[in-house]
Amino acid sequence: MNVLDTTKALLKELIAFPTISSNSNLDMIDCLAQYLSSSGATVEIWRDESGRKANLFATIGPNIDDGIVLSGHCDVVPTADQDWTNDPFEMIERNGKLFGRGTCDMKGFIAAAVAMAPRYAQLNLKRPIHFAFTYDEEVGCFGAQALAQSLRQHRLNPAVAIVGEPTSMRIIEGHKGCYEYITHFTGLEGHGSNPDQGVNAVEYATRYVSRLLELKDELRSKAPKNCRFEPPWTTINTGALIGGTARNVIPGKARVEWEMRPVQPSDADFVKNHLDQYCTHALLPAMQAICPDASVVTEIIAEVDGLEPVPENEARTILSELTGTHETDLVSFGTEAGMFQALGMTVVVCGPGSIEQAHKSDEYVSVTQISQCLEMLDRLCERLV
């Protein structure tokens, strides 16, 4: 069986694992561990506190620093309320395309990387090749955050990371961060006929949203010079304002769901510091003057670092040589790449499939894209020996 057929067979097996983020990923991790172990890799499995999720980190080659990481996430988005032509967890090949949930986002890359493991194991590697497969990327990159801690604890210091998100095999050297929050307002319920006797949580939430809108406008002027992102400034989006029960009841509870996409870490600090000062010195004193137990609490859903484009990037240089192109780009969607960069690695995002197919019904990756990915991974051998 050639490596393309091996990849398709393994991808079919991986698609059959319904690793929606709410489910366990342990069966898929065990499957990958068996493939990699049989190829001669040293495999580590690090479980989360619940024991239902795990990261896998495997190595082929010498036990030294300076390795190259092939990274992918195991979880996929739900299929509920989507109109699929076939069972989303049964891979179907049709007209040169491989259909199934996760085929492009991003089990196609994982299958290709693991299918190449026997090839890497045959070489006299001077530089280790690592495989890093994580949980819960789709709901906040929690697995990658745990993986980063594990790498620090085990004093593992790879130098390069290739994150195989679907980019149509384009080299991506940067993306914004994604910080998501829910801010909860607790006031004091009362009768609508006497509003001064209550603390209207919806009204204070509205004032909070007004401050978010002011910060949103201020961030436009803080765009870095020659920034290549579109738009070139940090954005804020208010996704939901929820609260109240009836027209004649002072609402005691409300919440604002919002996010920001920082182009630089200092913007995130700017927003959080200003909101903290606004709540501490404006909102809370007014609320607690009537109800001492009133509160404003911001719940962190996820704080995923962006991938910052840098002048010197070994990962970019390697991928340019492997793909034969010096063109690079930035994307709007987030990945786990920023966490690898924070560990001191140089990082690029490059993988088979188009982000336009991700998260949709009848998700697919083309066989041509898988073949291009395998060619890239095969050429990587030259950088390992």
Side-chain angles (χ1 to χ4, degrees):
M1 186 180 292
N2 63 39
V3 68
L4 177 58
D5 289 338
T6 299
T7 300
K8 290 197 290 185
L10 177 55
L11 181 54
K12 187 178 183 68
E13 195 168 349
L14 298 182
I15 296 303
F17 296 114
T19 51
I20 296 167
S21 302
S22 58
N23 297 340
S24 171
N25 73 334
L26 295 182
D27 289 342
M28 178 171 165
I29 288 291
D30 289 342
C31 172
L32 293 170
Q34 291 176 23
Y35 270 91
L36 289 165
S37 295
S38 65
S39 299
T42 300
V43 179
E44 298 280 356
I45 295 177
W46 297 316
R47 296 198 181 198
D48 73 345
E49 292 181 356
S50 74
R52 298 181 60 251
K53 305 283 182 73
N55 291 323
L56 180 151
F57 190 81
T59 302
I60 296 174
N63 184 24
I64 60 173
D65 293 342
D66 200 39
I68 297 176
V69 176
L70 303 177
S71 170
H73 62 81
C74 297
D75 60 317
V76 297
V77 296
T79 59
D81 300 322
Q82 291 186 334
D83 186 16
W84 282 75
T85 303
N86 300 100
D87 182 347
F89 297 107
E90 180 182 353
M91 193 186 82
I92 302 293
E93 182 172 0
R94 187 171 61 247
N95 299 325
K97 299 174 181 177
L98 305 173
F99 292 87
R101 173 56 85 224
T103 47
C104 81
D105 187 18
M106 56 180 297
K107 294 180 179 180
F109 178 80
I110 293 175
V114 173
M116 285 297 300
R119 170 87 167 102
Y120 298 139
Q122 291 171 357
L123 304 174
N124 182 23
L125 299 185
K126 301 293 191 298
R127 189 175 194 178
I129 185 79
H130 305 290
F131 303 82
F133 303 136
T134 59
Y135 62 87
D136 284 0
E137 187 271 351
E138 297 289 4
V139 291
C141 293
F142 300 123
Q145 293 174 30
L147 178 71
Q149 294 178 0
S150 298
L151 293 178
R152 291 191 187 97
Q153 291 170 359
H154 290 79
R155 297 183 179 180
L156 296 167
N157 299 296
V160 170
I162 301 169
V163 179
E165 291 277 6
T167 68
S168 300
M169 296 304 298
R170 294 178 301 135
I171 302 170
I172 304 303
E173 62 172 334
H175 62 73
K176 294 183 182 182
C178 183
Y179 288 29
E180 299 178 333
Y181 305 96
I182 301 177
T183 301
H184 300 268
F185 298 81
T186 300
L188 179 64
E189 284 188 339
H191 197 285
S193 64
N194 196 351
D196 290 344
Q197 296 301 308
V199 177
N200 191 312
V202 168
E203 291 182 359
Y204 282 97
T206 302
R207 292 171 63 180
Y208 187 88
V209 171
S210 295
R211 185 66 185 122
L212 282 176
L213 294 175
E214 293 171 358
L215 291 170
K216 179 179 179 178
D217 288 338
E218 291 178 40
L219 287 167
R220 289 174 177 262
S221 65
K222 298 173 71 65
K225 186 177 180 180
N226 300 322
C227 182
R228 292 162 55 200
F229 287 111
E230 181 57 42
W233 53 79
T234 293
T235 59
I236 292 177
N237 181 63
T238 304
L241 195 166
I242 302 164
T245 57
R247 292 185 300 277
N248 59 351
V249 176
I250 300 169
K253 299 283 186 181
R255 70 179 188 269
V256 176
E257 301 187 10
W258 62 282
E259 65 154 32
M260 60 176 161
R261 304 275 175 145
V263 299
Q264 52 192 354
S266 60
D267 286 351
D269 294 336
F270 169 79
V271 171
K272 290 191 287 185
N273 289 338
H274 274 71
L275 289 173
D276 181 66
Q277 292 296 310
Y278 182 61
C279 291
T280 300
H281 298 295
L283 297 188
L284 281 172
M287 297 169 72
Q288 292 176 348
I290 299 172
C291 176
D293 293 330
S295 64
V296 180
V297 177
T298 294
E299 175 188 1
I300 299 174
I301 303 303
E303 292 185 334
V304 179
D305 292 332
L307 175 62
E308 182 180 356
V310 294
E312 300 295 326
N313 187 332
E314 185 189 5
R316 182 182 61 216
T317 300
I318 290 174
L319 264 290
S320 293
E321 293 176 0
L322 299 183
T323 61
T325 178
H326 294 286
E327 294 182 5
T328 62
D329 206 349
L330 309 181
V331 292
S332 58
F333 61 86
T335 77
E336 297 172 328
M339 269 150 278
F340 292 109
Q341 189 175 57
L343 290 171
M345 302 182 212
T346 61
V347 189
V348 291
V349 183
C350 182
S354 168
I355 196 66
E356 297 300 320
Q357 304 305 326
H359 298 193
K360 296 180 179 179
S361 58
D362 290 347
E363 176 184 346
Y364 71 84
V365 64
S366 72
V367 175
T368 299
Q369 286 275 300
I370 292 291
S371 296
Q372 291 176 2
C373 181
L374 288 169
E375 291 171 7
M376 178 193 77
L377 295 173
D378 186 60
R379 294 192 191 106
L380 183 60
C381 295
E382 301 170 9
R383 301 299 302 240
L384 300 171
V385 295

